[in-house]
Amino acid sequence: MRPLWCGIFFILLTTKSQAVIYKKTEYFLDIELSKKDFLITCSGGPTDDNSIVSFHLLDKDTYYNFYYRRVITVNQCHKHKKEYLDILKGQDSVRIVASHPTERLMQHSEKKAAPNPFKDTVKIIYGPFIRIQGGDKCKAYFSEHCDLPKNYWGGVTPE
């Protein structure tokens, strides 16, 4: 007969990872997820000069989409994307912070436009990007927002 802890350990290994929400208010969201449930995209194509960096995260039936506050060039977007991915090299998880998160049910048109595997989600939470962290590395939209813990709130006034 196996000890009870063997069964519990097996259950933990077979359960899908879940987001860790460090802080969530009406104006702020600090969340950590497995890197395998994370994607960075650049809108626009080779003939388009306008792009927005978007961060996509998946937690069960919830799609998190955080985005830059302004348009940049496609080339700049790919450069930023590479910098973010470099920060996450060797990490199993990604921690991301956004401001003013909006939460609602996904609309059919949004599901069609979303990248895979985000098309099958029920709920979307979206808002402007503040920073991304991988281990002890950090990159923020405004560089001073990586001065932690001093600028933890990233310019958002805590409740």
Side-chain angles (χ1 to χ4, degrees):
M1 187 166 163
R2 279 188 284 189
L4 178 61
W5 65 266
C6 286
I8 294 170
F9 183 68
F10 178 74
I11 291 169
L12 290 173
L13 286 177
T14 58
T15 306
K16 185 172 171 56
S17 65
Q18 189 171 352
V20 175
I21 297 177
Y22 293 98
K23 183 90 49 192
K24 183 178 182 187
T25 71
E26 182 180 350
Y27 305 108
F28 186 83
L29 177 61
D30 179 356
I31 184 171
E32 185 171 12
L33 281 163
S34 170
K35 196 168 86 172
K36 67 179 178 49
D37 297 321
F38 173 73
L39 175 69
I40 302 174
T41 61
C42 294
S43 62
T47 59
D48 191 2
D49 197 36
N50 293 323
S51 185
I52 293 188
V53 179
S54 292
F55 304 88
H56 311 269
L57 300 100
L58 181 63
D59 181 31
K60 297 180 183 173
D61 65 349
T62 302
Y63 170 26
Y64 294 89
N65 179 241
F66 306 133
Y67 48 85
Y68 264 32
R69 302 160 192 256
R70 67 180 172 90
V71 172
I72 58 177
T73 68
V74 174
N75 286 341
Q76 287 174 318
C77 184
H78 287 289
K79 179 182 171 216
H80 288 233
K81 178 180 174 180
K82 182 185 179 323
E83 291 171 359
Y84 290 117
L85 292 175
D86 285 347
I87 285 172
L88 299 175
K89 277 185 184 165
Q91 301 298 318
D92 293 329
S93 64
V94 58
R95 187 166 173 178
I96 194 161
V97 177
S99 67
H100 297 85
T102 299
E103 182 175 336
R104 62 177 171 71
L105 295 177
M106 284 276 284
Q107 298 173 1
H108 180 69
S109 59
E110 291 173 311
K111 289 183 179 193
K112 286 175 57 176
N116 282 326
F118 307 98
K119 294 179 182 295
D120 296 328
T121 55
V122 174
K123 182 172 54 172
I124 184 169
I125 298 175
Y126 59 94
F129 167 77
I130 293 178
R131 77 175 156 268
I132 196 168
Q133 294 168 251
D136 61 351
K137 297 178 183 171
C138 179
K139 181 168 171 50
Y141 186 82
F142 297 112
S143 60
E144 65 269 14
H145 293 161
C146 278
D147 184 8
L148 302 171
K150 178 181 168 188
N151 287 328
Y152 171 76
W153 290 97
V156 175
T157 305
E159 293 177 338

